[in-house]
Coordinates of all heavy atoms in Angstrom, one line a residue:
I105 N 95.9 115.5 114.1 CA 95.2 116.1 113.0 C 93.7 116.4 113.4 O 93.0 115.5 113.7 CB 95.2 115.2 111.8 CG1 96.6 115.1 111.3 CG2 94.3 115.8 110.7 CD1 96.8 114.1 110.2
P106 N 93.4 117.7 113.4 CA 92.0 118.1 113.9 C 90.9 117.4 113.2 O 90.8 117.4 111.9 CB 92.0 119.6 113.6 CG 93.4 120.0 113.6 CD 94.2 118.9 113.0
G107 N 90.1 116.6 114.0 CA 89.0 115.9 113.4 C 89.2 114.6 112.7 O 88.3 113.9 112.3
A108 N 90.5 114.2 112.6 CA 90.7 113.0 111.8 C 90.2 111.7 112.5 O 89.6 110.9 111.8 CB 92.2 112.8 111.6
M109 N 90.3 111.6 113.8 CA 89.8 110.4 114.5 C 88.2 110.4 114.5 O 87.7 109.3 114.6 CB 90.4 110.4 115.9 CG 91.8 110.0 116.0 SD 92.2 108.4 115.3 CE 91.4 107.4 116.3
D110 N 87.6 111.5 114.5 CA 86.2 111.6 114.6 C 85.5 111.8 113.2 O 84.3 112.0 113.2 CB 85.8 112.7 115.6 CG 86.3 112.5 116.9 OD1 86.3 111.3 117.4 OD2 86.8 113.4 117.5
A111 N 86.3 111.8 112.2 CA 85.8 112.2 110.8 C 84.9 111.2 110.2 O 83.9 111.6 109.6 CB 86.9 112.4 109.9
G112 N 85.0 109.9 110.5 CA 84.2 108.9 109.8 C 84.8 108.6 108.5 O 85.6 109.3 107.9
L113 N 84.3 107.4 108.0 CA 84.9 106.8 106.8 C 84.5 107.6 105.5 O 85.1 107.4 104.5 CB 84.4 105.4 106.6 CG 84.8 104.4 107.8 CD1 84.3 103.1 107.6 CD2 86.4 104.4 107.9
V114 N 83.4 108.4 105.6 CA 83.0 109.1 104.4 C 83.5 110.6 104.5 O 82.8 111.5 103.8 CB 81.5 108.9 104.1 CG1 81.2 107.6 103.7 CG2 80.7 109.4 105.3
N115 N 84.5 110.8 105.2 CA 85.0 112.2 105.3 C 86.4 112.2 104.8 O 87.2 111.5 105.3 CB 84.9 112.6 106.8 CG 85.3 114.1 107.0 OD1 86.2 114.6 106.3 ND2 84.6 114.7 108.0
P116 N 86.8 113.1 103.9 CA 88.1 113.2 103.3 C 89.2 113.4 104.4 O 90.3 112.9 104.3 CB 88.1 114.4 102.4 CG 86.6 114.6 102.1 CD 85.9 114.1 103.2
T117 N 88.8 114.0 105.5 CA 89.8 114.2 106.6 C 90.3 112.9 107.1 O 91.5 112.8 107.4 CB 89.2 115.1 107.7 OG1 88.7 116.3 107.2 CG2 90.2 115.3 108.8
F118 N 89.5 111.9 107.2 CA 89.9 110.6 107.7 C 91.0 110.1 106.8 O 92.0 109.6 107.2 CB 88.7 109.7 107.7 CG 89.1 108.2 108.1 CD1 89.2 107.9 109.5 CD2 89.3 107.3 107.1 CE1 89.5 106.6 109.8 CE2 89.7 106.0 107.5 CZ 89.8 105.7 108.8
W119 N 90.8 110.1 105.5 CA 91.7 109.4 104.5 C 92.9 110.2 104.4 O 94.0 109.6 104.3 CB 90.9 109.2 103.2 CG 89.8 108.2 103.4 CD1 88.5 108.5 103.5 CD2 89.9 106.8 103.6 NE1 87.8 107.4 103.8 CE2 88.6 106.3 103.8 CE3 91.0 105.9 103.6 CZ2 88.4 104.9 104.0 CZ3 90.8 104.6 103.8 CH2 89.4 104.1 104.0
V120 N 92.9 111.5 104.3 CA 94.0 112.4 104.1 C 94.9 112.2 105.4 O 96.1 112.1 105.3 CB 93.7 113.8 103.8 CG1 94.9 114.7 104.0 CG2 93.0 113.9 102.5
G121 N 94.2 112.3 106.6 CA 94.9 112.1 107.8 C 95.7 110.8 107.9 O 96.8 110.7 108.4
L122 N 95.0 109.7 107.4 CA 95.6 108.4 107.4 C 96.9 108.4 106.6 O 97.9 107.9 107.1 CB 94.6 107.3 107.0 CG 95.0 105.9 107.0 CD1 95.3 105.4 108.4 CD2 94.0 105.1 106.3
V123 N 96.8 108.9 105.4 CA 98.0 108.9 104.5 C 99.1 109.8 105.1 O 100.3 109.4 105.1 CB 97.6 109.4 103.1 CG1 98.9 109.7 102.3 CG2 96.7 108.4 102.4
I124 N 98.8 110.9 105.7 CA 99.8 111.8 106.4 C 100.4 111.0 107.5 O 101.7 111.0 107.7 CB 99.2 113.1 106.8 CG1 98.8 113.9 105.6 CG2 100.2 113.8 107.8 CD1 98.0 115.2 106.0
A125 N 99.6 110.3 108.3 CA 100.1 109.7 109.5 C 101.0 108.5 109.1 O 102.1 108.3 109.7 CB 99.0 109.2 110.4
L126 N 100.6 107.7 108.1 CA 101.4 106.6 107.6 C 102.7 107.1 107.0 O 103.8 106.5 107.2 CB 100.6 105.7 106.7 CG 99.5 104.9 107.3 CD1 98.6 104.2 106.2 CD2 100.0 103.9 108.3
S127 N 102.7 108.2 106.3 CA 103.9 108.8 105.7 C 104.9 109.2 106.8 O 106.1 109.0 106.7 CB 103.6 109.9 104.8 OG 102.7 109.5 103.7
A128 N 104.3 109.8 107.8 CA 105.2 110.3 109.0 C 105.8 109.0 109.6 O 107.0 109.1 110.0 CB 104.4 111.1 109.9
A129 N 105.0 108.0 109.8 CA 105.6 106.7 110.4 C 106.7 106.2 109.6 O 107.7 105.7 110.1 CB 104.4 105.7 110.5
F130 N 106.5 106.2 108.2 CA 107.6 105.7 107.4 C 108.9 106.5 107.6 O 110.0 106.0 107.8 CB 107.2 105.8 105.9 CG 108.3 105.3 105.0 CD1 108.5 104.0 104.7 CD2 109.2 106.3 104.4 CE1 109.6 103.7 103.8 CE2 110.2 106.0 103.6 CZ 110.4 104.7 103.3
V131 N 108.8 107.8 107.6 CA 109.9 108.7 107.7 C 110.6 108.5 109.1 O 111.8 108.5 109.2 CB 109.5 110.2 107.6 CG1 110.6 111.2 108.0 CG2 109.1 110.5 106.1
A132 N 109.8 108.3 110.1 CA 110.4 108.0 111.5 C 111.1 106.7 111.6 O 112.1 106.5 112.2 CB 109.3 108.1 112.5
A133 N 110.5 105.6 110.9 CA 111.1 104.2 111.1 C 112.3 104.0 110.1 O 113.1 103.1 110.5 CB 110.0 103.3 110.8
Y134 N 112.4 104.7 109.0 CA 113.5 104.4 108.1 C 114.9 104.5 108.8 O 115.6 103.6 108.6 CB 113.4 105.3 106.8 CG 114.6 105.1 105.9 CD1 114.7 104.1 105.0 CD2 115.6 106.1 106.0 CE1 115.8 103.9 104.2 CE2 116.7 105.9 105.1 CZ 116.8 104.9 104.3 OH 118.0 104.7 103.5
P135 N 115.2 105.6 109.4 CA 116.5 105.8 110.0 C 116.7 104.7 111.1 O 117.9 104.2 111.3 CB 116.6 107.1 110.6 CG 115.2 107.7 110.5 CD 114.4 106.9 109.6
V136 N 115.7 104.3 111.8 CA 115.8 103.2 112.8 C 116.2 101.9 112.1 O 117.1 101.2 112.6 CB 114.5 103.1 113.6 CG1 114.6 101.9 114.5 CG2 114.3 104.4 114.4
N137 N 115.5 101.6 111.0 CA 115.9 100.4 110.3 C 117.2 100.4 109.7 O 118.0 99.4 109.8 CB 114.8 100.1 109.2 CG 113.5 99.5 109.7 OD1 113.6 98.6 110.6 ND2 112.4 100.0 109.3
L138 N 117.6 101.6 109.2 CA 119.0 101.7 108.7 C 120.0 101.5 109.8 O 121.0 100.8 109.6 CB 119.1 103.1 108.1 CG 120.5 103.4 107.4 CD1 120.7 102.5 106.3 CD2 120.5 104.9 106.9
W139 N 119.8 102.1 111.0 CA 120.7 102.0 112.1 C 120.7 100.5 112.6 O 121.8 100.0 112.8 CB 120.1 102.8 113.3 CG 120.9 102.7 114.5 CD1 122.1 103.4 114.8 CD2 120.6 102.0 115.7 NE1 122.6 103.1 116.1 CE2 121.7 102.2 116.6 CE3 119.6 101.2 116.0 CZ2 121.7 101.6 117.9 CZ3 119.6 100.6 117.3 CH2 120.7 100.8 118.2
L140 N 119.6 99.8 112.6 CA 119.5 98.3 113.0 C 120.3 97.5 112.0 O 121.1 96.6 112.4 CB 118.1 97.9 113.1 CG 117.3 98.4 114.3 CD1 115.8 98.1 114.2 CD2 117.8 97.8 115.6
L141 N 120.1 97.8 110.8 CA 120.8 97.0 109.7 C 122.3 97.2 109.8 O 123.1 96.3 109.6 CB 120.4 97.4 108.3 CG 119.0 96.8 107.9 CD1 118.5 97.5 106.7 CD2 119.1 95.3 107.6
G142 N 122.7 98.4 110.1 CA 124.2 98.7 110.2 C 124.8 97.9 111.4 O 126.0 97.7 111.5
R143 N 124.0 97.4 112.3 CA 124.5 96.7 113.5 C 124.1 95.2 113.4 O 124.2 94.5 114.3 CB 123.9 97.2 114.8 CG 124.7 98.5 115.2 CD 123.8 99.6 115.7 NE 124.6 100.8 115.9 CZ 124.8 101.7 114.9 NH1 124.4 101.5 113.7 NH2 125.5 102.8 115.2
G144 N 123.7 94.8 112.2 CA 123.3 93.3 111.9 C 122.0 92.9 112.7 O 121.9 91.7 113.0
K145 N 121.2 93.9 113.0 CA 119.9 93.6 113.7 C 118.7 94.0 112.8 O 118.9 94.3 111.7 CB 119.9 94.3 115.0 CG 121.0 94.0 115.9 CD 121.0 94.8 117.3 CE 122.1 94.6 118.1 NZ 122.5 93.3 118.5
G146 N 117.5 93.9 113.3 CA 116.4 94.3 112.6 C 116.1 93.4 111.4 O 116.3 92.1 111.5
H147 N 115.9 93.9 110.3 CA 115.6 93.1 109.1 C 116.7 92.3 108.7 O 116.6 91.2 108.0 CB 115.2 94.1 108.0 CG 114.5 93.3 106.8 ND1 113.3 92.8 106.9 CD2 115.0 93.1 105.5 CE1 113.0 92.2 105.7 NE2 114.0 92.4 104.9
A148 N 117.9 92.6 109.1 CA 119.1 91.8 108.8 C 118.9 90.3 109.3 O 119.4 89.4 108.8 CB 120.4 92.3 109.4
L149 N 118.2 90.2 110.4 CA 117.9 88.9 111.0 C 117.1 88.0 110.1 O 117.2 86.8 110.1 CB 117.3 89.1 112.4 CG 118.1 89.8 113.5 CD1 117.2 90.0 114.7 CD2 119.3 89.1 113.8
T150 N 116.2 88.6 109.3 CA 115.3 87.8 108.5 C 115.9 87.7 107.1 O 115.5 86.8 106.4 CB 113.9 88.4 108.4 OG1 114.0 89.7 107.8 CG2 113.2 88.6 109.8
H151 N 116.7 88.6 106.8 CA 117.3 88.7 105.3 C 117.9 87.4 104.9 O 117.9 86.9 103.8 CB 118.2 89.8 105.2 CG 118.6 90.1 103.8 ND1 117.6 90.5 102.8 CD2 119.7 90.0 103.1 CE1 118.2 90.6 101.7 NE2 119.5 90.4 101.8
G152 N 118.6 86.7 105.8 CA 119.3 85.4 105.5 C 118.4 84.3 105.1 O 118.8 83.4 104.4
Y153 N 117.1 84.4 105.4 CA 116.1 83.4 105.1 C 115.4 83.7 103.7 O 114.7 82.8 103.2 CB 115.1 83.2 106.2 CG 115.7 82.8 107.5 CD1 115.9 83.7 108.5 CD2 116.0 81.5 107.7 CE1 116.4 83.3 109.7 CE2 116.6 81.1 108.9 CZ 116.8 82.0 109.9 OH 117.4 81.6 111.1
H154 N 115.6 84.8 103.2 CA 114.9 85.2 101.9 C 115.6 84.5 100.8 O 116.9 84.3 100.8 CB 115.0 86.7 101.6 CG 114.2 87.5 102.7 ND1 113.9 88.8 102.5 CD2 113.6 87.2 103.8 CE1 113.2 89.2 103.5 NE2 113.0 88.2 104.3
G155 N 114.9 84.0 99.8 CA 115.5 83.3 98.7 C 115.9 81.9 99.0 O 116.8 81.4 98.3
A156 N 115.3 81.3 100.0 CA 115.7 79.9 100.4 C 115.2 79.0 99.3 O 114.5 79.4 98.3 CB 115.0 79.5 101.7
E157 N 115.6 77.7 99.4 CA 115.1 76.7 98.4 C 113.7 76.8 98.2 O 112.9 77.2 99.1 CB 115.6 75.3 98.8 CG 117.1 75.1 98.9 CD 117.4 73.7 99.4 OE1 116.6 72.8 99.2 OE2 118.5 73.5 99.8
A158 N 113.1 76.2 97.1 CA 111.7 76.1 96.8 C 111.0 75.4 98.0 O 111.5 74.3 98.4 CB 111.5 75.5 95.5
A159 N 109.9 76.0 98.5 CA 109.2 75.4 99.5 C 108.5 74.1 99.0 O 108.2 73.9 97.9 CB 108.0 76.3 100.0
S160 N 108.4 73.2 100.0 CA 107.7 71.9 99.7 C 106.7 71.6 100.7 O 106.5 72.3 101.8 CB 108.8 70.8 99.7 OG 109.4 70.6 101.0
G161 N 105.8 70.6 100.4 CA 104.8 70.3 101.4 C 103.8 71.4 101.5 O 103.5 72.1 100.5
W162 N 103.2 71.5 102.7 CA 102.3 72.6 102.9 C 102.8 74.0 102.7 O 102.1 74.9 102.5 CB 101.6 72.4 104.3 CG 102.5 72.6 105.4 CD1 103.3 71.6 106.0 CD2 102.8 73.8 106.1 NE1 104.1 72.2 107.0 CE2 103.8 73.6 107.1 CE3 102.4 75.2 105.9 CZ2 104.3 74.6 107.9 CZ3 102.9 76.1 106.8 CH2 103.9 75.8 107.7
R163 N 104.1 74.1 102.9 CA 104.8 75.4 102.9 C 104.7 76.1 101.4 O 104.7 77.3 101.3 CB 106.2 75.3 103.3 CG 106.4 75.0 104.7 CD 107.8 74.8 105.1 NE 108.0 74.2 106.4 CZ 108.0 74.8 107.5 NH1 107.7 76.1 107.6 NH2 108.1 74.2 108.7
R164 N 104.5 75.2 100.4 CA 104.5 75.8 99.1 C 103.1 76.6 98.8 O 103.0 77.3 97.8 CB 104.6 74.7 98.0 CG 103.5 73.7 97.9 CD 103.8 72.7 96.8 NE 102.7 71.8 96.6 CZ 102.5 70.6 97.3 NH1 103.4 70.2 98.2 NH2 101.4 69.9 97.1
F165 N 102.2 76.4 99.8 CA 101.0 77.1 99.7 C 100.9 78.5 100.3 O 100.0 79.2 100.2 CB 99.7 76.3 100.2 CG 99.6 75.0 99.4 CD1 99.8 73.8 99.9 CD2 99.1 75.0 98.1 CE1 99.7 72.6 99.2 CE2 98.9 73.9 97.3 CZ 99.2 72.6 98.0
I166 N 102.0 78.8 101.0 CA 102.2 80.1 101.7 C 102.4 81.1 100.6 O 103.3 81.0 99.8 CB 103.3 80.1 102.7 CG1 103.0 79.1 103.8 CG2 103.5 81.5 103.2 CD1 104.2 78.9 104.8
P167 N 101.6 82.1 100.5 CA 101.7 83.1 99.4 C 103.0 83.9 99.6 O 103.4 84.2 100.6 CB 100.5 84.0 99.5 CG 100.1 83.9 100.9 CD 100.5 82.5 101.4
T168 N 103.6 84.3 98.4 CA 104.7 85.2 98.3 C 104.1 86.5 97.7 O 103.7 86.5 96.5 CB 105.8 84.6 97.5 OG1 106.2 83.4 98.1 CG2 107.0 85.6 97.4
I169 N 104.0 87.5 98.5 CA 103.4 88.8 98.0 C 104.6 89.8 98.1 O 105.1 90.1 99.2 CB 102.3 89.2 98.8 CG1 101.2 88.1 98.9 CG2 101.6 90.5 98.3 CD1 100.1 88.3 99.9
A170 N 104.9 90.4 97.0 CA 105.9 91.4 96.9 C 105.4 92.6 97.7 O 104.3 93.0 97.7 CB 106.2 91.8 95.5
T171 N 106.4 93.3 98.4 CA 106.1 94.5 99.2 C 105.5 95.6 98.3 O 104.6 96.2 98.7 CB 107.4 95.0 99.9 OG1 107.8 94.0 100.8 CG2 107.1 96.2 100.7
S172 N 106.0 95.7 97.1 CA 105.5 96.7 96.1 C 104.1 96.5 95.8 O 103.3 97.4 95.7 CB 106.4 96.7 94.9 OG 106.3 95.5 94.3
T173 N 103.6 95.2 95.7 CA 102.2 94.9 95.5 C 101.4 95.3 96.7 O 100.3 95.9 96.5 CB 102.0 93.3 95.2 OG1 102.8 93.0 94.1 CG2 100.6 93.0 95.0
L174 N 101.9 95.1 97.9 CA 101.1 95.5 99.1 C 101.0 97.0 99.2 O 100.0 97.5 99.5 CB 101.8 94.9 100.3 CG 101.7 93.4 100.5 CD1 102.7 93.0 101.6 CD2 100.3 93.0 100.8
V175 N 102.1 97.7 98.8 CA 102.1 99.2 98.9 C 101.1 99.7 97.9 O 100.3 100.6 98.3 CB 103.5 99.7 98.6 CG1 103.5 101.2 98.4 CG2 104.5 99.3 99.8
V176 N 101.1 99.2 96.7 CA 100.1 99.7 95.7 C 98.7 99.4 96.2 O 97.8 100.2 96.0 CB 100.4 99.0 94.3 CG1 99.3 99.3 93.3 CG2 101.7 99.6 93.7
G177 N 98.5 98.2 96.7 CA 97.2 97.9 97.2 C 96.7 98.8 98.4 O 95.6 99.3 98.3
I178 N 97.6 99.2 99.3 CA 97.2 100.1 100.3 C 97.0 101.5 99.8 O 96.0 102.1 100.2 CB 98.3 100.1 101.4 CG1 98.3 98.7 102.1 CG2 98.1 101.3 102.4 CD1 99.5 98.5 103.0

Side-chain angles (χ1 to χ4, degrees):
I105 295 173
M109 287 299 296
D110 300 317
L113 301 176
V114 292
N115 187 323
T117 303
F118 175 86
W119 296 101
V120 171
L122 182 65
V123 170
I124 291 169
L126 289 172
S127 298
F130 175 87
V131 169
Y134 173 79
V136 172
N137 283 316
L138 185 60
W139 180 79
L140 288 169
L141 283 165
R143 280 141 189 82
K145 300 181 187 304
H147 193 70
L149 298 173
T150 64
H151 190 65
Y153 298 101
H154 294 191
E157 293 180 24
S160 60
W162 66 270
R163 295 176 191 278
R164 70 179 183 270
F165 297 110
I166 297 173
T168 301
I169 306 169
T171 301
S172 58
T173 302
L174 292 169
V175 170
V176 168
I178 290 165

